Amino acid sequence: MSSVFDSIRSYFYVPAYREDLVAAAFDNDADAVVFDLEHLTPDDQKDAGRALVAEVIATEQPKPVLVRVNGYPTGWYERDLDAVVGPGLTALRIPKSESAAEVRAIARALDARRAVAGITRVIPLQVMIETAVGVTAVDELAVATHLVESIGLGEGDLKADLGTATDEGLAFSRARLVVAARAAGLPGPVQVTFNPAGSHDELKRSTELGRSLGYSSRTLLDPAHVALVNSVYA
């Protein structure tokens, strides 16, 4: 089964509440844009972020648009969905996923709003794994619902959870996601977001490592990094 995620090499993160950055979100060569209502948008700016993203997704856009909603335990994802389900929304990115039941609850809420909006196409889910619990549950998460079409790894929170800062400490988790994605018939996972303060050589080494492990794309915060990632994941 083909998926929009099959052709995406790079995702560009945009804080949803920053009007200047939202306005410039498509002014780069990333294959997809991710408007972030979670970590990159402070709690007191969530409503402002929802409003800005709602304006963007009110019409179709020149490239795939994802929104990283707030996780199920926060209870905020319902308000996120109320704002962002529109013609320009390609997919949802779900952070810190640990429970297949919670993923299915978000899927049901998404489908209900999609129906109300009169959108007939499927809006798929990209499930992000960022904790040890998520890693151990990744087989179930990858097939939680037919809407799950992609999984990815968030290593910042995972490192803290595992108490490691080394590639060796992350080796099992990285490989585990590749196996789960393959077994579920999904594209290779999304690689961890690269630190914008990192060097070009660090970006090249870590992205080539991701490719060699079976990952198929990467999320970025610096548009200057897009060309290299696109070339590695070509």
Side-chain angles (χ1 to χ4, degrees), residues 129-132 135 153-164 170 173-174:
I129 311 301
E130 304 178 57
T131 64
V135 172
L153 188 63
E155 293 182 3
D157 287 321
L158 182 59
K159 285 178 180 178
D161 196 21
L162 297 177
T164 187
L170 292 169
S173 300
R174 289 170 171 169

Side-chain angles (χ1 to χ4, degrees), residues 95-115:
K96 300 179 179 65
S97 299
E98 296 183 337
S99 162
E102 292 178 356
V103 171
R104 286 191 288 270
I106 293 175
R108 288 193 296 270
L110 170 61
D111 266 348
R113 287 159 176 80
R114 180 175 62 84

Side-chain angles (χ1 to χ4, degrees), residues 6-233:
D6 292 337
S7 60
I8 297 177
R9 301 162 296 174
S10 54
Y11 299 83
F12 182 60
Y13 256 142
V14 180
Y17 77 105
R18 288 282 303 275
E19 188 171 359
D20 56 335
L21 298 181
V22 170
F26 299 97
D27 298 341
N28 59 76
D29 291 327
D31 290 333
V33 171
V34 184
F35 293 108
D36 183 34
L37 284 168
E38 194 225 11
H39 179 67
L40 296 179
T41 296
D43 291 354
D44 63 353
Q45 296 293 326
K46 302 287 189 193
D47 285 337
R50 293 179 183 113
L52 283 173
V53 175
E55 290 182 16
V56 175
I57 57 86
T59 57
E60 294 186 4
Q61 297 299 324
K63 63 178 71 174
V65 172
L66 287 79
V67 175
R68 180 164 72 167
V69 296
N70 290 280
Y72 182 91
T74 69
W76 292 339
Y77 75 93
E78 296 266 13
R79 293 170 65 186
D80 296 341
L81 293 177
D82 286 339
V84 306
V85 176
L89 178 66
T90 304
L92 283 187
R93 177 174 283 195
I94 304 176
K96 300 179 179 65
S97 299
E98 296 183 337
S99 162
E102 292 178 356
V103 171
R104 286 191 288 270
I106 293 175
R108 288 193 296 270
L110 170 61
D111 266 348
R113 287 159 176 80
R114 180 175 62 84
V116 170
I119 300 171
T120 57
R121 61 178 171 80
V122 168
I123 299 176
L125 303 177
Q126 186 175 78
V127 174
M128 303 303 291
I129 311 301
E130 304 178 57
T131 64
V133 171
V135 172
T136 60
V138 68
D139 288 336
E140 292 78 17
L141 291 167
V143 296
T145 162
H146 70 284
L147 294 185
V148 176
E149 294 187 8
S150 174
I151 61 175
L153 188 63
E155 293 182 3
D157 287 321
L158 182 59
K159 285 178 180 178
D161 196 21
L162 297 177
T164 187
T166 67
D167 280 343
E168 291 80 5
L170 292 169
F172 172 82
S173 300
R174 289 170 171 169
R176 190 73 189 79
L177 260 71
V178 173
V179 172
R182 178 63 177 168
L186 304 179
V190 183
Q191 193 179 4
V192 60
T193 303
F194 185 71
N195 184 343
S199 70
H200 182 277
D201 287 344
E202 289 169 334
L203 174 64
K204 187 174 187 293
R205 283 195 302 270
S206 66
T207 307
E208 288 177 343
L209 173 62
R211 171 94 187 232
S212 72
L213 293 174
Y215 285 73
S216 65
S217 57
R218 185 162 209 172
T219 307
L220 301 164
L221 287 162
D222 186 342
H225 294 154
V226 169
L228 190 153
V229 169
N230 282 350
S231 67
V232 172
Y233 281 122

